Amino acid sequence: MKTIQFREAICEAMSEEMRRDESVYLMGEEVAEYNGAYKASKGMLDEFGAKRVIDTPIAELGFAGIAIGSTMTGNRPIVEYMTFNFSLVGIDQIINNAAKIRQMSGGQFNCPIVFRGPTASAGQLAATHSQAFENWFANTPGLKVVVPSNPYDAKGLLKSAIRDNDPVIFMESEQMYGDKGEVPEGEYTIPLGVADIKREGTDVTIVSFGKIIKEAYIAADQLAEEGISCEIIDLRTVRPMDRKAILESVKKTNRLVVLEEAWPFGNVATEITYLVQSEAFDYLDAPVVKINTADTPAPYSPVLLAEWLPDHKDVIKAVKKVMYK
């Protein structure tokens, strides 16, 4: 094992897949000459050249369309968005073309493409740069949605995403690029659609994904001091969702808290809540509690942002609520 940063895990995954398959290429704003806005493509231009590591204009709709079209001629593009907030400019291409090519061509064309970049808030970036769109994309048939929370998962999942024959939305975080973690020295992949139990527990299940799961770890440590045992499930892939892992855990603990950095209406936590009440209702000893951001655009003020964003204190409060403590 070796210890690397999240950004290095992303870079390694892309580089290894580009060495493995000449049809894979990277395009996006500042991915080449600047080594990536977050240095996640450092050194790739030097190794692969300007034909496979391509700087684009600030034109997300345009380069998304070019990349999607190129899949129909045998390529496997990786499109980097500087932030998924900017993907809204190109969302017509993602939803109406990438997600539908296979069906609308009668299976004649696959669309093996990865759209990757940071999602959700990252400090004082204000309302238009602090949005989480996992549930938007996960609502769309034809798309797979991956949200890793650590370097090991990020590298293994990204390699699988690049090899996948369907479009994959791969969502990271500006606040995780410097995170360090162990990854194997050799080749490995992690299959899409498989959750991971990050912490075994017996009293309550906490389901989360992405960077916000760190708040669940903090809460679980503090709750353990009070004798409450939390099981933490990292979804890793939002769509397809590992329904079995969630249900098996809830049947063991009989309680569920879902932590998600997203607006509260119609999100991933809502889907999980429906899943559990429809397929494990008789196992529940308490109503499901979901924790989300406030139902407003993200504020710029650091004081208001701290109130808007869920934290470990919210998790502790929710766990104690389902424990009737």
Side-chain angles (χ1 to χ4, degrees):
M1 302 289 281
K2 60 183 178 181
T3 300
I4 61 174
Q5 291 184 334
F6 193 105
R7 60 168 57 88
E8 293 173 307
I10 296 295
C11 186
E12 285 190 4
M14 293 191 294
S15 297
E16 288 175 13
E17 293 306 302
M18 287 176 69
R19 295 182 197 118
R20 175 180 172 273
D21 185 347
E22 291 188 355
S23 69
V24 179
Y25 70 90
L26 172 66
M27 72 187 309
E29 296 156 3
E30 298 185 347
V31 299
E33 296 288 345
Y34 192 66
N35 288 309
Y38 311 105
K39 300 298 181 278
S41 53
K42 186 176 182 179
M44 292 181 64
L45 174 63
D46 293 339
E47 179 175 355
F48 299 105
K51 287 188 176 180
R52 295 184 68 196
V53 182
I54 305 167
D55 275 331
T56 67
I58 303 174
E60 288 82 3
L61 180 66
F63 64 77
I66 289 170
I68 292 166
S70 78
T71 68
M72 303 174 77
T73 59
N75 293 290
R76 307 182 77 90
I78 306 165
V79 174
E80 178 180 309
Y81 288 122
M82 197 175 294
T83 161
F84 264 96
N85 296 283
F86 301 159
S87 76
L88 298 189
V89 182
I91 201 168
D92 174 58
Q93 288 289 346
I94 300 171
I95 303 297
N96 282 328
N97 288 326
K100 296 176 174 62
I101 283 175
R102 182 194 287 270
Q103 180 182 346
M104 295 184 70
S105 69
Q108 295 179 80
F109 294 102
N110 297 325
C111 188
I113 186 170
V114 175
F115 297 95
R116 51 158 294 269
T119 183
S121 67
Q124 288 181 266
L125 298 182
T128 59
H129 286 193
S130 302
Q131 302 167 109
F133 295 115
E134 293 90 321
N135 59 314
W136 285 33
F137 291 112
N139 184 251
T140 305
L143 297 180
K144 297 177 180 179
V145 181
V146 180
V147 193
S149 66
N150 59 78
Y152 173 84
D153 289 347
K155 182 177 179 180
L157 289 165
L158 182 53
K159 287 170 70 69
S160 292
I162 294 168
R163 297 181 191 185
D164 202 279
N165 285 326
D166 291 311
V168 179
I169 308 296
F170 195 92
M171 309 181 96
E172 303 153 14
S173 169
E174 290 104 319
Q175 292 182 322
M176 289 198 299
Y177 286 120
D179 289 359
K180 293 182 178 181
E182 289 189 339
V183 301
E185 293 280 358
E187 168 78 9
Y188 76 99
T189 59
I190 298 173
L192 306 186
V194 180
D196 189 31
I197 298 176
K198 298 297 188 184
R199 181 180 181 132
E200 297 274 357
T202 57
D203 293 328
V204 59
T205 298
I206 303 174
V207 176
S208 190
F209 57 90
K211 80 171 192 296
I212 200 69
I213 200 172
K214 296 177 184 180
E215 299 299 320
Y217 298 147
I218 297 170
D221 286 340
Q222 294 186 16
L223 287 164
E225 296 175 0
E226 301 180 35
I228 298 174
S229 173
C230 300
E231 179 149 296
I232 300 178
I233 296 179
D234 187 344
L235 282 183
R236 302 197 294 194
T237 304
V238 170
R239 181 167 185 161
M241 185 181 292
D242 192 345
R243 300 157 62 93
K244 181 180 178 182
I246 297 169
L247 292 171
E248 286 183 350
S249 180
V250 170
K251 288 176 181 179
K252 179 177 72 172
T253 67
N254 310 117
R255 296 172 177 86
L256 175 63
V257 171
V258 187
L259 171 63
E260 176 188 8
E261 183 181 345
W263 293 312
F265 188 89
N267 52 35
V268 176
T270 303
E271 180 67 21
I272 294 170
T273 301
Y274 176 77
L275 165 68
V276 171
Q277 72 85 25
S278 63
E279 299 191 27
F281 180 80
D282 290 338
Y283 290 89
L284 288 173
D285 287 342
V288 177
V289 174
K290 65 189 191 82
I291 308 167
N292 300 117
T293 67
D295 196 14
T296 69
Y300 177 74
S301 159
V303 176
L304 293 178
L305 183 64
E307 287 295 315
W308 180 85
L309 192 64
D311 63 14
H312 66 279
K313 296 177 184 177
D314 297 314
V315 179
I316 291 171
K317 182 179 178 181
V319 168
K320 289 186 175 181
K321 182 177 181 179
V322 300
M323 295 289 296
Y324 300 109
K325 293 191 175 183

